[in-house]
Amino acid sequence: MLTQQLINGLTLGSTYALVALGYTLIFGVLEIINMAHGEIFMFGAFVGLMTVLYYKGSLLTAIIAAIIATMLIGLLMEWIALRPLRRQKGASHLASLISTIGVSIFLENLAHKLFGPETQPFPIPFTNVTYELGSVRISLVQIIIFTIAVAVMIALQVWLGKTRYGRALRATAENIETAAILGVNTRRIILLTVLLASALGGLAGVLVGMGFNAVTPTMGVSVGLKGLAIIILGGMGSVPGAMVGGLVLGVTEVLAVVYGDSAYRDAVAFGMIIVILLLRPQGIFGSKQPVRR
């Protein structure tokens, strides 16, 4: 029934939104698309899985371990692949894009080496716990995923709007030179942005691995492409756009599977995005006026 599928779609879409937020934060501040974000998400899923399997950690422990590991990956990426390019005068944003593609290829091959190519289940003790509200069935896994994702999105919005570092990040995203003149430590804000985006990717990796009960070294490719589609749909650099776009894509995918053919789930979802962009090319929350830097 429709209500059941909407719940399933919102759960899936909330994880997509977390992935898209990582993309949109880095694009908003650095004006680059981090092509390694999908693989950072994948590494978060594997670190969470290894924490549960081999260290008998709880779900909370797995999430914390995934966030720490992905923040470390983001830190190394910033130091090795992004910061040196920013110091080069005349270096285009295309150089940073290619650099992150290199990081993504390295991370995927490293995951194959460390974890193997097979798809691995994500064991959690409460997989079969479900609740019934009339004719609607909701699993505990869905409740946990949706609650965590929505709580993180709300916390991020509050942090961006109410805190000193959040306002500094928004000022840097608006105009990095002006922010520096006004006393914002833009280098620190850029590093903070990369770490925050990577942490969101790691958290989403654990939630998606838990939701689908499957973790594979190639999972970052498909989810990464969807994250890119979401930020285009929501509006490049728009945090609310990433949230709404993720939920729209998740619901569309689920409805496409239930009322259509699962083989065409991606085609239907991306077709819907194309239609929306034909009507509003700048995205749902995008601005018609180009942002001058």
Side-chain angles (χ1 to χ4, degrees), residues 162-244:
K162 302 293 184 182
T163 68
R164 175 187 171 193
Y165 278 104
R167 288 193 290 269
L169 190 151
R170 289 193 293 125
T172 305
E174 187 68 26
N175 190 303
I176 192 168
E177 289 84 9
T178 304
I181 293 172
L182 293 174
V184 175
N185 187 335
T186 54
R187 176 183 289 188
R188 183 181 299 174
I189 292 300
I190 288 172
L191 178 60
L192 176 64
T193 302
V194 174
L195 294 179
L196 183 57
S198 301
L200 288 171
L203 171 61
V206 175
L207 297 183
V208 170
M210 187 173 65
F212 285 93
N213 195 25
V215 178
T216 172
T218 57
M219 66 190 292
V221 177
S222 60
V223 174
L225 288 175
K226 289 174 183 174
L228 285 175
I230 289 167
I231 63 170
I232 295 172
L233 171 64
M236 299 294 282
S238 169
V239 171
M243 297 178 187
V244 173

Side-chain angles (χ1 to χ4, degrees), residues 7-257:
I7 292 173
N8 296 340
L10 289 174
T11 306
L12 177 63
S14 62
T15 59
Y16 286 166
L18 285 182
V19 177
L21 281 173
Y23 277 110
T24 208
L25 284 175
I26 289 186
F27 182 84
V29 173
L30 297 177
E31 284 196 338
I32 64 169
I33 294 177
N34 178 17
M35 297 300 292
H37 191 65
E39 281 63 39
I40 291 175
F41 153 89
M42 174 271 294
F43 248 88
F46 266 111
V47 170
L49 174 64
M50 295 300 117
T51 304
V52 172
L53 277 182
Y54 297 108
Y55 299 100
K56 309 302 178 188
S58 63
L59 176 60
L60 178 61
T61 309
I63 289 174
I64 293 173
I67 288 175
I68 293 173
T70 50
M71 287 176 73
L72 180 60
I73 294 172
L75 180 66
L76 293 175
M77 181 180 71
E78 160 64 7
W79 281 350
I80 298 172
L82 297 179
R83 185 176 294 181
L85 291 175
R86 286 200 305 275
R87 289 175 175 169
Q88 298 294 325
K89 290 186 177 179
S92 71
H93 288 173
L94 187 60
S96 299
L97 177 70
I98 300 300
S99 183
T100 59
I101 291 175
V103 174
S104 73
I105 295 172
F106 171 77
L107 289 177
E108 184 173 332
N109 282 280
L110 181 62
H112 275 96
K113 193 79 173 176
L114 293 176
F115 310 118
E118 300 85 9
T119 300
Q120 301 187 40
F122 200 113
I124 44 178
F126 43 80
T127 304
N128 297 321
V129 178
T130 59
Y131 304 97
E132 293 189 4
L133 299 173
S135 57
V136 177
R137 297 184 66 186
I138 306 175
S139 70
L140 182 56
V141 172
Q142 285 180 304
I143 295 173
I144 291 174
I145 290 174
F146 189 72
T147 303
I148 292 176
V150 171
V152 169
M153 286 189 278
I154 293 173
L156 179 63
Q157 275 290 73
V158 173
W159 181 80
L160 285 171
K162 302 293 184 182
T163 68
R164 175 187 171 193
Y165 278 104
R167 288 193 290 269
L169 190 151
R170 289 193 293 125
T172 305
E174 187 68 26
N175 190 303
I176 192 168
E177 289 84 9
T178 304
I181 293 172
L182 293 174
V184 175
N185 187 335
T186 54
R187 176 183 289 188
R188 183 181 299 174
I189 292 300
I190 288 172
L191 178 60
L192 176 64
T193 302
V194 174
L195 294 179
L196 183 57
S198 301
L200 288 171
L203 171 61
V206 175
L207 297 183
V208 170
M210 187 173 65
F212 285 93
N213 195 25
V215 178
T216 172
T218 57
M219 66 190 292
V221 177
S222 60
V223 174
L225 288 175
K226 289 174 183 174
L228 285 175
I230 289 167
I231 63 170
I232 295 172
L233 171 64
M236 299 294 282
S238 169
V239 171
M243 297 178 187
V244 173
L247 296 177
V248 169
L249 182 62
V251 171
T252 305
E253 273 195 16
V254 170
L255 294 181
V257 171

Side-chain angles (χ1 to χ4, degrees), residues 257-279:
V257 171
V258 174
Y259 298 107
D261 189 329
S262 61
Y264 297 105
R265 58 183 293 180
D266 290 340
V268 171
F270 281 93
M272 179 272 301
I273 291 174
I274 291 172
V275 171
I276 293 176
L277 291 179
L278 286 174
L279 299 173

